[in-house]
PDB file of all heavy atoms in Angstrom:
ATOM      1  N   ASP A   1       0.824  -1.203   0.000  1.00 82.00           N
ATOM      2  CA  ASP A   1       0.000   0.000   0.000  1.00 82.00           C
ATOM      3  C   ASP A   1       0.860   1.257   0.000  1.00 82.00           C
ATOM      4  O   ASP A   1       0.646   2.171  -0.799  1.00 82.00           O
ATOM      5  CB  ASP A   1      -0.938  -0.004   1.209  1.00 82.00           C
ATOM      6  CG  ASP A   1      -1.898  -1.175   1.190  1.00 82.00           C
ATOM      7  OD1 ASP A   1      -2.472  -1.442   0.125  1.00 82.00           O
ATOM      8  OD2 ASP A   1      -2.063  -1.832   2.236  1.00 82.00           O
ATOM      9  N   TRP A   2       1.849   1.326   0.910  1.00 66.00           N
ATOM     10  CA  TRP A   2       2.632   2.560   0.945  1.00 66.00           C
ATOM     11  C   TRP A   2       3.580   2.652  -0.237  1.00 66.00           C
ATOM     12  O   TRP A   2       3.897   3.764  -0.699  1.00 66.00           O
ATOM     13  CB  TRP A   2       3.341   2.752   2.281  1.00 66.00           C
ATOM     14  CG  TRP A   2       4.456   1.827   2.656  1.00 66.00           C
ATOM     15  CD1 TRP A   2       4.406   0.777   3.510  1.00 66.00           C
ATOM     16  CD2 TRP A   2       5.828   1.908   2.226  1.00 66.00           C
ATOM     17  NE1 TRP A   2       5.642   0.180   3.633  1.00 66.00           N
ATOM     18  CE2 TRP A   2       6.536   0.868   2.863  1.00 66.00           C
ATOM     19  CE3 TRP A   2       6.518   2.765   1.362  1.00 66.00           C
ATOM     20  CZ2 TRP A   2       7.897   0.642   2.650  1.00 66.00           C
ATOM     21  CZ3 TRP A   2       7.872   2.551   1.153  1.00 66.00           C
ATOM     22  CH2 TRP A   2       8.547   1.493   1.789  1.00 66.00           C
ATOM     23  N   ARG A   3       4.017   1.527  -0.767  1.00 71.00           N
ATOM     24  CA  ARG A   3       4.851   1.592  -1.974  1.00 71.00           C
ATOM     25  C   ARG A   3       4.036   2.086  -3.163  1.00 71.00           C
ATOM     26  O   ARG A   3       4.523   2.861  -3.989  1.00 71.00           O
ATOM     27  CB  ARG A   3       5.473   0.226  -2.263  1.00 71.00           C
ATOM     28  CG  ARG A   3       6.526  -0.192  -1.261  1.00 71.00           C
ATOM     29  CD  ARG A   3       7.229  -1.472  -1.653  1.00 71.00           C
ATOM     30  NE  ARG A   3       8.160  -1.909  -0.630  1.00 71.00           N
ATOM     31  CZ  ARG A   3       9.392  -1.449  -0.484  1.00 71.00           C
ATOM     32  NH1 ARG A   3       9.836  -0.522  -1.328  1.00 71.00           N
ATOM     33  NH2 ARG A   3      10.178  -1.904   0.471  1.00 71.00           N
ATOM     34  N   SER A   4       2.782   1.661  -3.260  1.00 70.00           N
ATOM     35  CA  SER A   4       1.908   2.161  -4.326  1.00 70.00           C
ATOM     36  C   SER A   4       1.587   3.632  -4.115  1.00 70.00           C
ATOM     37  O   SER A   4       1.502   4.409  -5.072  1.00 70.00           O
ATOM     38  CB  SER A   4       0.610   1.351  -4.358  1.00 70.00           C
ATOM     39  OG  SER A   4       0.854   0.001  -4.693  1.00 70.00           O
ATOM     40  N   MET A   5       1.420   4.036  -2.872  1.00 69.00           N
ATOM     41  CA  MET A   5       1.110   5.426  -2.545  1.00 69.00           C
ATOM     42  C   MET A   5       2.246   6.362  -2.940  1.00 69.00           C
ATOM     43  O   MET A   5       2.029   7.467  -3.440  1.00 69.00           O
ATOM     44  CB  MET A   5       0.827   5.541  -1.052  1.00 69.00           C
ATOM     45  CG  MET A   5       0.465   6.913  -0.544  1.00 69.00           C
ATOM     46  SD  MET A   5       0.365   6.891   1.268  1.00 69.00           S
ATOM     47  CE  MET A   5       2.112   6.676   1.698  1.00 69.00           C
ATOM     48  N   ARG A   6       3.475   5.911  -2.753  1.00 64.00           N
ATOM     49  CA  ARG A   6       4.650   6.735  -3.040  1.00 64.00           C
ATOM     50  C   ARG A   6       5.313   6.392  -4.368  1.00 64.00           C
ATOM     51  O   ARG A   6       6.285   7.035  -4.765  1.00 64.00           O
ATOM     52  CB  ARG A   6       5.670   6.591  -1.910  1.00 64.00           C
ATOM     53  CG  ARG A   6       5.201   7.137  -0.558  1.00 64.00           C
ATOM     54  CD  ARG A   6       6.320   7.082   0.452  1.00 64.00           C
ATOM     55  NE  ARG A   6       5.918   7.521   1.780  1.00 64.00           N
ATOM     56  CZ  ARG A   6       5.962   8.789   2.203  1.00 64.00           C
ATOM     57  NH1 ARG A   6       6.364   9.745   1.377  1.00 64.00           N
ATOM     58  NH2 ARG A   6       5.599   9.088   3.442  1.00 64.00           N
ATOM     59  N   ALA A   7       4.828   5.338  -5.039  1.00 61.00           N
ATOM     60  CA  ALA A   7       5.430   4.859  -6.294  1.00 61.00           C
ATOM     61  C   ALA A   7       6.899   4.520  -6.074  1.00 61.00           C
ATOM     62  O   ALA A   7       7.789   5.009  -6.787  1.00 61.00           O
ATOM     63  CB  ALA A   7       5.258   5.867  -7.407  1.00 61.00           C
ATOM     64  N   LYS A   8       7.165   3.675  -5.080  1.00 67.00           N
ATOM     65  CA  LYS A   8       8.522   3.232  -4.786  1.00 67.00           C
ATOM     66  C   LYS A   8       8.604   1.717  -4.907  1.00 67.00           C
ATOM     67  O   LYS A   8       7.720   1.016  -4.408  1.00 67.00           O
ATOM     68  CB  LYS A   8       8.931   3.665  -3.378  1.00 67.00           C
ATOM     69  CG  LYS A   8       9.164   5.152  -3.251  1.00 67.00           C
ATOM     70  CD  LYS A   8       9.721   5.495  -1.874  1.00 67.00           C
ATOM     71  CE  LYS A   8      10.044   6.977  -1.760  1.00 67.00           C
ATOM     72  NZ  LYS A   8      10.638   7.322  -0.464  1.00 67.00           N
ATOM     73  N   PRO A   9       9.651   1.205  -5.560  1.00 60.00           N
ATOM     74  CA  PRO A   9      10.696   1.926  -6.285  1.00 60.00           C
ATOM     75  C   PRO A   9      10.144   2.615  -7.531  1.00 60.00           C
ATOM     76  O   PRO A   9       9.065   2.275  -8.006  1.00 60.00           O
ATOM     77  CB  PRO A   9      11.707   0.842  -6.636  1.00 60.00           C
ATOM     78  CG  PRO A   9      10.895  -0.413  -6.681  1.00 60.00           C
ATOM     79  CD  PRO A   9       9.826  -0.252  -5.643  1.00 60.00           C
ATOM     80  N   PHE A  10      10.917   3.546  -8.084  1.00 61.00           N
ATOM     81  CA  PHE A  10      10.419   4.390  -9.165  1.00 61.00           C
ATOM     82  C   PHE A  10       9.962   3.578 -10.377  1.00 61.00           C
ATOM     83  O   PHE A  10       8.972   3.932 -11.027  1.00 61.00           O
ATOM     84  CB  PHE A  10      11.490   5.401  -9.589  1.00 61.00           C
ATOM     85  CG  PHE A  10      11.009   6.405 -10.600  1.00 61.00           C
ATOM     86  CD1 PHE A  10      10.314   7.531 -10.189  1.00 61.00           C
ATOM     87  CD2 PHE A  10      11.225   6.217 -11.961  1.00 61.00           C
ATOM     88  CE1 PHE A  10       9.853   8.460 -11.110  1.00 61.00           C
ATOM     89  CE2 PHE A  10      10.770   7.134 -12.889  1.00 61.00           C
ATOM     90  CZ  PHE A  10      10.079   8.267 -12.467  1.00 61.00           C
ATOM     91  N   PHE A  11      10.673   2.486 -10.672  1.00 55.00           N
ATOM     92  CA  PHE A  11      10.308   1.720 -11.874  1.00 55.00           C
ATOM     93  C   PHE A  11       8.922   1.090 -11.760  1.00 55.00           C
ATOM     94  O   PHE A  11       8.345   0.642 -12.757  1.00 55.00           O
ATOM     95  CB  PHE A  11      11.355   0.649 -12.198  1.00 55.00           C
ATOM     96  CG  PHE A  11      11.469  -0.452 -11.184  1.00 55.00           C
ATOM     97  CD1 PHE A  11      10.540  -1.475 -11.132  1.00 55.00           C
ATOM     98  CD2 PHE A  11      12.528  -0.479 -10.290  1.00 55.00           C
ATOM     99  CE1 PHE A  11      10.646  -2.496 -10.210  1.00 55.00           C
ATOM    100  CE2 PHE A  11      12.646  -1.503  -9.355  1.00 55.00           C
ATOM    101  CZ  PHE A  11      11.709  -2.514  -9.321  1.00 55.00           C
ATOM    102  N   SER A  12       8.353   1.054 -10.541  1.00 59.00           N
ATOM    103  CA  SER A  12       7.011   0.494 -10.380  1.00 59.00           C
ATOM    104  C   SER A  12       5.946   1.346 -11.069  1.00 59.00           C
ATOM    105  O   SER A  12       4.831   0.875 -11.301  1.00 59.00           O
ATOM    106  CB  SER A  12       6.672   0.345  -8.897  1.00 59.00           C
ATOM    107  OG  SER A  12       6.609   1.603  -8.252  1.00 59.00           O
ATOM    108  N   ARG A  13       6.284   2.586 -11.414  1.00 56.00           N
ATOM    109  CA  ARG A  13       5.325   3.435 -12.128  1.00 56.00           C
ATOM    110  C   ARG A  13       4.926   2.852 -13.480  1.00 56.00           C
ATOM    111  O   ARG A  13       3.891   3.218 -14.028  1.00 56.00           O
ATOM    112  CB  ARG A  13       5.899   4.836 -12.329  1.00 56.00           C
ATOM    113  CG  ARG A  13       6.041   5.636 -11.038  1.00 56.00           C
ATOM    114  CD  ARG A  13       6.543   7.033 -11.304  1.00 56.00           C
ATOM    115  NE  ARG A  13       6.722   7.790 -10.076  1.00 56.00           N
ATOM    116  CZ  ARG A  13       6.250   9.015  -9.881  1.00 56.00           C
ATOM    117  NH1 ARG A  13       5.577   9.626 -10.842  1.00 56.00           N
ATOM    118  NH2 ARG A  13       6.473   9.653  -8.742  1.00 56.00           N
ATOM    119  N   ALA A  14       5.743   1.950 -14.004  1.00 58.00           N
ATOM    120  CA  ALA A  14       5.406   1.313 -15.275  1.00 58.00           C
ATOM    121  C   ALA A  14       4.092   0.553 -15.179  1.00 58.00           C
ATOM    122  O   ALA A  14       3.322   0.481 -16.145  1.00 58.00           O
ATOM    123  CB  ALA A  14       6.526   0.366 -15.697  1.00 58.00           C
ATOM    124  N   SER A  15       3.804   0.013 -13.994  1.00 58.00           N
ATOM    125  CA  SER A  15       2.543  -0.706 -13.804  1.00 58.00           C
ATOM    126  C   SER A  15       1.533   0.089 -12.983  1.00 58.00           C
ATOM    127  O   SER A  15       0.329  -0.067 -13.155  1.00 58.00           O
ATOM    128  CB  SER A  15       2.796  -2.056 -13.126  1.00 58.00           C
ATOM    129  OG  SER A  15       3.427  -1.873 -11.866  1.00 58.00           O
ATOM    130  N   LEU A  16       2.030   0.969 -12.107  1.00 55.00           N
ATOM    131  CA  LEU A  16       1.129   1.730 -11.226  1.00 55.00           C
ATOM    132  C   LEU A  16       0.540   2.964 -11.901  1.00 55.00           C
ATOM    133  O   LEU A  16      -0.535   3.431 -11.517  1.00 55.00           O
ATOM    134  CB  LEU A  16       1.880   2.179  -9.966  1.00 55.00           C
ATOM    135  CG  LEU A  16       2.398   1.085  -9.045  1.00 55.00           C
ATOM    136  CD1 LEU A  16       3.191   1.697  -7.904  1.00 55.00           C
ATOM    137  CD2 LEU A  16       1.248   0.248  -8.503  1.00 55.00           C
ATOM    138  N   GLY A  17       1.250   3.503 -12.907  1.00 54.00           N
ATOM    139  CA  GLY A  17       0.854   4.751 -13.547  1.00 54.00           C
ATOM    140  C   GLY A  17       2.040   5.697 -13.566  1.00 54.00           C
ATOM    141  O   GLY A  17       2.625   5.957 -12.509  1.00 54.00           O
ATOM    142  N   LEU A  18       2.402   6.206 -14.708  1.00 57.00           N
ATOM    143  CA  LEU A  18       3.631   6.980 -14.835  1.00 57.00           C
ATOM    144  C   LEU A  18       3.589   8.294 -14.063  1.00 57.00           C
ATOM    145  O   LEU A  18       4.488   8.614 -13.279  1.00 57.00           O
ATOM    146  CB  LEU A  18       3.927   7.262 -16.312  1.00 57.00           C
ATOM    147  CG  LEU A  18       5.245   7.983 -16.603  1.00 57.00           C
ATOM    148  CD1 LEU A  18       6.423   7.177 -16.086  1.00 57.00           C
ATOM    149  CD2 LEU A  18       5.383   8.255 -18.104  1.00 57.00           C
ATOM    150  N   LEU A  19       2.526   9.091 -14.258  1.00 56.00           N
ATOM    151  CA  LEU A  19       2.449  10.413 -13.645  1.00 56.00           C
ATOM    152  C   LEU A  19       1.526  10.458 -12.436  1.00 56.00           C
ATOM    153  O   LEU A  19       1.738  11.241 -11.513  1.00 56.00           O
ATOM    154  CB  LEU A  19       1.986  11.446 -14.680  1.00 56.00           C
ATOM    155  CG  LEU A  19       2.888  11.601 -15.904  1.00 56.00           C
ATOM    156  CD1 LEU A  19       2.292  12.622 -16.869  1.00 56.00           C
ATOM    157  CD2 LEU A  19       4.299  12.031 -15.486  1.00 56.00           C
ATOM    158  N   ARG A  20       0.504   9.642 -12.443  1.00 66.00           N
ATOM    159  CA  ARG A  20      -0.434   9.597 -11.324  1.00 66.00           C
ATOM    160  C   ARG A  20      -0.957   8.168 -11.175  1.00 66.00           C
ATOM    161  O   ARG A  20      -0.882   7.377 -12.123  1.00 66.00           O
ATOM    162  CB  ARG A  20      -1.587  10.585 -11.533  1.00 66.00           C
ATOM    163  CG  ARG A  20      -2.397  10.360 -12.780  1.00 66.00           C
ATOM    164  CD  ARG A  20      -3.495  11.408 -12.910  1.00 66.00           C
ATOM    165  NE  ARG A  20      -2.962  12.758 -12.893  1.00 66.00           N
ATOM    166  CZ  ARG A  20      -2.524  13.381 -13.990  1.00 66.00           C
ATOM    167  NH1 ARG A  20      -2.553  12.769 -15.173  1.00 66.00           N
ATOM    168  NH2 ARG A  20      -2.060  14.603 -13.911  1.00 66.00           N
ATOM    169  N   PRO A  21      -1.471   7.824 -10.025  1.00 62.00           N
ATOM    170  CA  PRO A  21      -1.893   6.440  -9.788  1.00 62.00           C
ATOM    171  C   PRO A  21      -3.003   5.975 -10.739  1.00 62.00           C
ATOM    172  O   PRO A  21      -3.982   6.690 -10.954  1.00 62.00           O
ATOM    173  CB  PRO A  21      -2.399   6.473  -8.345  1.00 62.00           C
ATOM    174  CG  PRO A  21      -1.741   7.658  -7.732  1.00 62.00           C
ATOM    175  CD  PRO A  21      -1.613   8.665  -8.818  1.00 62.00           C
ATOM    176  N   LYS A  22      -2.810   4.792 -11.281  1.00 57.00           N
ATOM    177  CA  LYS A  22      -3.830   4.196 -12.144  1.00 57.00           C
ATOM    178  C   LYS A  22      -5.019   3.703 -11.314  1.00 57.00           C
ATOM    179  O   LYS A  22      -6.173   3.828 -11.722  1.00 57.00           O
ATOM    180  CB  LYS A  22      -3.216   3.020 -12.911  1.00 57.00           C
ATOM    181  CG  LYS A  22      -4.150   2.351 -13.904  1.00 57.00           C
ATOM    182  CD  LYS A  22      -3.525   1.047 -14.433  1.00 57.00           C
ATOM    183  CE  LYS A  22      -2.147   1.261 -14.995  1.00 57.00           C
ATOM    184  NZ  LYS A  22      -1.582  -0.015 -15.536  1.00 57.00           N
ATOM    185  N   HIS A  23      -4.716   3.154 -10.159  1.00 65.00           N
ATOM    186  CA  HIS A  23      -5.758   2.661  -9.258  1.00 65.00           C
ATOM    187  C   HIS A  23      -5.894   3.652  -8.111  1.00 65.00           C
ATOM    188  O   HIS A  23      -4.953   3.866  -7.349  1.00 65.00           O
ATOM    189  CB  HIS A  23      -5.404   1.268  -8.746  1.00 65.00           C
ATOM    190  CG  HIS A  23      -5.152   0.276  -9.834  1.00 65.00           C
ATOM    191  ND1 HIS A  23      -6.123  -0.111 -10.724  1.00 65.00           N
ATOM    192  CD2 HIS A  23      -4.016  -0.396 -10.184  1.00 65.00           C
ATOM    193  CE1 HIS A  23      -5.613  -0.984 -11.577  1.00 65.00           C
ATOM    194  NE2 HIS A  23      -4.345  -1.170 -11.277  1.00 65.00           N
ATOM    195  N   ARG A  24      -7.072   4.241  -7.951  1.00 74.00           N
ATOM    196  CA  ARG A  24      -7.258   5.363  -7.036  1.00 74.00           C
ATOM    197  C   ARG A  24      -7.619   4.956  -5.611  1.00 74.00           C
ATOM    198  O   ARG A  24      -7.658   5.795  -4.723  1.00 74.00           O
ATOM    199  CB  ARG A  24      -8.323   6.310  -7.602  1.00 74.00           C
ATOM    200  CG  ARG A  24      -7.950   6.897  -8.968  1.00 74.00           C
ATOM    201  CD  ARG A  24      -6.616   7.628  -8.899  1.00 74.00           C
ATOM    202  NE  ARG A  24      -6.190   8.156 -10.175  1.00 74.00           N
ATOM    203  CZ  ARG A  24      -6.506   9.358 -10.633  1.00 74.00           C
ATOM    204  NH1 ARG A  24      -7.268  10.156  -9.909  1.00 74.00           N
ATOM    205  NH2 ARG A  24      -6.061   9.767 -11.806  1.00 74.00           N
ATOM    206  N   ILE A  25      -7.926   3.685  -5.377  1.00 81.00           N
ATOM    207  CA  ILE A  25      -8.219   3.209  -4.022  1.00 81.00           C
ATOM    208  C   ILE A  25      -7.255   2.081  -3.687  1.00 81.00           C
ATOM    209  O   ILE A  25      -7.203   1.076  -4.394  1.00 81.00           O
ATOM    210  CB  ILE A  25      -9.676   2.733  -3.883  1.00 81.00           C
ATOM    211  CG1 ILE A  25     -10.639   3.892  -4.177  1.00 81.00           C
ATOM    212  CG2 ILE A  25      -9.931   2.189  -2.483  1.00 81.00           C
ATOM    213  CD1 ILE A  25     -12.101   3.513  -4.082  1.00 81.00           C
TER     214      ILE A  25
END
């Protein structure tokens, strides 16, 4: 949860959403 909240590590943005979270909850 907190890794998704902060997009850590940075490369996780490839699946989480590059600029903003893909999944909002």
Side-chain angles (χ1 to χ4, degrees):
D1 298 315
W2 68 258
R3 291 186 184 278
S4 296
M5 181 187 70
R6 295 186 183 272
K8 289 186 176 183
F10 186 83
F11 66 77
S12 65
R13 291 183 182 229
S15 59
L16 297 176
L18 184 59
L19 300 178
R20 59 181 56 86
K22 183 190 306 182
H23 304 296
R24 300 303 178 89
I25 299 179

